[in-house]
C-alpha cells in the first residue's frame, strides 16, 4: 500500500499507484542522500521545467552549458506590469551584438553596439557581416562611412557617403495611380520648440541647397539655391523668393546671380544675360521695359494690329505701323545730329538722294 510520512501534519507519501513520492513540503528540506538523483533526457545540459502533471523534465530545446543559453524556437518576453527589457551588457569598451543567420551560415548579419573606445556607436551590419550604417554617439545616421565628414562646418545628422554612383546617390520614388509625385520638403518656424509655430520675418531663409567641392585640404562652396521670405508674412500669407548663386573664379563663397521675386520679377543681379544658342532669341509677349532709376523706356506691341510703340514714362514717341509699314514720330522732332551723316533715300536701282 501507500507509505505516509507524518509529523505534526502529513508532509508526504509514497503513492504506490503512481509509483512516485508526493511531497507537501513547507520550509527547508535538509538532510543527505546516499545516492545521486538523476534526470534523464536525450540532450546534454538541458534545463529542467515543471510540467502540468506536477512533474519535472529536461527541455531538449532549452540548454545551458554554464556560459551559453541555447533556445530552439521562439522567445517571448512578457511583463504586463512594467516594460520588458532585454539587456546585453558588455565589458568596458567592449561590444554587445545580436546575430542573425540561417542554416547555411550562422552569422549573416549583426546589430552591434560598440562601447567607449570601441566606437561608441550602434552599428548595423548586412550581408557577410559588413557594416552598412551606424548611429554615432551624437545621434548622426552615417551610411557608407564609419565617422562623420565635416563639410565646411556642417556635421549633418544624416550623411550618405560612397565611392560610386550607387553608393553616392539617393532615390525617392512614388508609385500611385494619380498625378502626384514624390517630393522633398523644407520648413521654417521662428519658434524654438520643435513642431510649434511662430511667424517668420521678411528675408528669413527657408531652405537651401548647397554644392561643395574639395580644394585639396577642405570643402569650399561652389553654388547655392536658396528660398527666403520676400515681403511681410502673416496668417495665410508667406511671400517667397528664389535666389541662385555661383562662386566666381578665385573665390571660395557664392555670390547671388539671379533672383525670382515674390511678384514674379526675374532679376539678374550681376553680369549680362547671354543667349548663346544659335538661332534662339528672347520673346516678349506684350512689352519690354528698360529701367534706369525712375525713368522707363517701354516697347509695346499693340494687340491685333502688329504695331510697335516706343514710350518713355508712358508717353508715346515713335510708332512702327504693322499694317502699312509706316514709321510715325508721335511727339517731338526727328533729329540727326551726328556730324557728316544724313539720310540715304535709295531707289531700287541703287541710286538715291541724301541730305
Amino acid at each position: 500500500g501507500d507509505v505516509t510520512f507524518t509529523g505534526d501534519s502529513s508532509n508526504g507519501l509514497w503513492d504506490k499507484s503512481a509509483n512516485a513520492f508526493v511531497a507537501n513540503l513547507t520550509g527547508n528540506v535538509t538532510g543527505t542522500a546516499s545516492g545521486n538523483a538523476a534526470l534523464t533526457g536525450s540532450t546534454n545540459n538541458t534545463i529542467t521545467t515543471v510540467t502540468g502533471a506536477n512533474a519535472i523534465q529536461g527541455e531538449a530545446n532549452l540548454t545551458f552549458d554554464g556560459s551559453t543559453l541555447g533556445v530552439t524556437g521562439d522567445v517571448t518576453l512578457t511583463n504586463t506590469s512594467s516594460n520588458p527589457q532585454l539587456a546585453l551588457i558588455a565589458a568596458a569598451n567592449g561590444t554587445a551584438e545580436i546575430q542573425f543567420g540561417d542554416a547555411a551560415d550562422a552569422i549573416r548579419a549583426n546589430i552591434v553596439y560598440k562601447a567607449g573606445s570601441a566606437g561608441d556607436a550602434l552599428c548595423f551590419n548586412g550581408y557577410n557581416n559588413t557594416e552598412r550604417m551606424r548611429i554615432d554617439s551624437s545621434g548622426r545616421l552615417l551610411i557608407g562611412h564609419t565617422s562623420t565628414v565635416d563639410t565646411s562646418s556642417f556635421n549633418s545628422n544624416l550623411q550618405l557617403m560612397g565611392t560610386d554612383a550607387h553608393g553616392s546617390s539617393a532615390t525617392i520614388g512614388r508609385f500611385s495611380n494619380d498625378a502626384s509625385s514624390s517630393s522633398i520638403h523644407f520648413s521654417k518656424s521662428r519658434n524654438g520648440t520643435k513642431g510649434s509655430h511662430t511667424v517668420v520675418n521678411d528675408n528669413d531663409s527657408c531652405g537651401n541647397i548647397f554644392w561643395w567641392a574639395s580644394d585639396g585640404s577642405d570643402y569650399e562652396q561652389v553654388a547655392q539655391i536658396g528660398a527666403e521670405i520676400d515681403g511681410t508674412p502673416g496668417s495665410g500669407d508667406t511671400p517667397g523668393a528664389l535666389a541662385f548663386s555661383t562662386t566666381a573664379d578665385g573665390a571660395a563663397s557664392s555670390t547671388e546671380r539671379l533672383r525670382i521675386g515674390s511678384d514674379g520679377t526675374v532679376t539678374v543681379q550681376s553680369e549680362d544675360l547671354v543667349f548663346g544658342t544659335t538661332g534662339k532669341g528672347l520673346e516678349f509677349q506684350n512689352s519690354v521695359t528698360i529701367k534706369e532709376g525712375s525713368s522707363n523706356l517701354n516697347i509695346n506691341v499693340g494687340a491685333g494690329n502688329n504695331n510697335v510703340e516706343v514710350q518713355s514714362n508712358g508717353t508715346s514717341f515713335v510708332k512702327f505701323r504693322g499694317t502699312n509699314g509706316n514709321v510715325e514720330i508721335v511727339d517731338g522732332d526727328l533729329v540727326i545730329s551726328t556730324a557728316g551723316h544724313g539720310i540715304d533715300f535709295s531707289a531700287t536701282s541703287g541710286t538715291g538722294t541724301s541730305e
Side-chain angles (χ1 to χ4, degrees):
D2 296 337
V3 178
T4 302
F5 301 85
T6 61
D8 292 340
S9 62
S10 179
N11 296 317
L13 61 86
W14 179 264
D15 187 344
K16 180 180 179 182
S17 62
N19 195 28
F21 177 74
V22 179
N24 180 20
L25 302 177
T26 59
N28 298 325
V29 178
T30 61
T32 59
S34 60
N36 294 324
L39 292 175
T40 60
S42 59
T43 304
N44 292 331
N45 302 317
T46 57
I47 295 177
T48 302
T49 61
V50 178
T51 68
N54 294 322
I56 57 176
Q57 67 179 16
E59 298 290 349
N61 295 332
L62 184 61
T63 63
F64 181 68
D65 63 3
S67 61
T68 302
L69 177 66
V71 180
T72 302
D74 299 328
V75 176
T76 301
L77 301 179
T78 302
N79 187 345
T80 58
S81 62
S82 184
N83 298 316
Q85 295 182 353
L86 175 63
L88 303 179
I89 310 298
N93 300 316
T95 62
E97 63 182 280
I98 300 175
Q99 300 178 352
F100 302 87
D102 56 30
D105 190 342
I107 304 178
R108 302 285 284 186
N110 291 42
I111 298 177
V112 183
Y113 177 70
K114 299 182 178 181
S117 61
D120 207 11
L122 182 63
C123 307
F124 298 83
N125 300 352
Y127 182 72
N128 284 338
N129 199 24
T130 301
E131 182 175 321
R132 303 303 183 183
M133 66 179 184
R134 67 168 53 193
I135 301 174
D136 69 7
S137 58
S138 298
R140 292 179 288 249
L141 176 60
L142 311 179
I143 302 175
H145 196 44
T146 58
S147 61
T148 181
V149 176
D150 183 348
T151 305
S152 188
S153 77
F154 286 95
N155 273 304
S156 303
N157 281 344
L158 174 61
Q159 299 184 24
L160 172 63
M161 303 294 167
T163 57
D164 58 16
H166 305 292
S168 308
S169 61
T171 301
I172 302 175
R174 174 168 176 164
F175 303 86
S176 58
N177 187 20
D178 53 38
S180 300
S181 64
S182 52
S183 57
I184 299 175
H185 299 262
F186 299 89
S187 62
K188 166 68 178 178
S189 171
R190 276 193 168 244
N191 196 300
T193 301
K194 295 176 183 178
S196 300
H197 292 279
T198 296
V199 66
V200 293
N201 292 346
D202 188 19
N203 298 320
D204 277 2
S205 177
C206 296
N208 288 285
I209 301 175
F210 293 95
W211 286 265
W212 304 91
S214 174
D215 65 356
S217 59
D218 55 14
Y219 291 98
E220 302 295 349
Q221 189 175 351
V222 176
Q224 173 185 348
I225 298 176
E228 63 185 53
I229 298 298
D230 186 29
T232 302
S235 179
D237 179 19
T238 51
L242 277 177
F244 298 80
S245 304
T246 60
T247 301
D249 188 13
S253 60
S254 295
T255 301
E256 183 175 318
R257 309 298 188 184
L258 183 143
R259 172 177 290 261
I260 304 175
S262 59
D263 60 356
T265 300
V266 179
T267 304
V268 178
Q269 303 286 22
S270 61
E271 303 304 327
D272 298 322
L273 181 63
V274 179
F275 297 88
T277 304
T278 302
K280 301 294 183 179
L282 186 61
E283 178 180 344
F284 299 92
Q285 295 295 326
N286 294 304
S287 65
V288 178
T289 300
I290 302 173
K291 292 185 176 182
E292 175 61 33
S294 60
S295 300
N296 298 334
L297 174 63
N298 300 88
I299 302 176
N300 301 319
V301 179
N305 55 23
N306 295 323
N307 293 339
V308 177
E309 183 176 349
V310 180
Q311 298 178 340
S312 177
N313 292 329
T315 301
S316 296
F317 288 95
V318 180
K319 290 184 178 181
F320 299 85
R321 296 293 186 181
T323 54
N324 54 25
N326 292 341
V327 179
E328 298 180 10
I329 307 299
V330 180
D331 189 9
D333 300 324
L334 177 62
V335 179
I336 302 173
S337 59
T338 304
H341 294 277
I343 301 176
D344 185 0
F345 300 93
S346 299
T348 56
S349 62
T351 60
T353 302
S354 61
E355 61 176 49

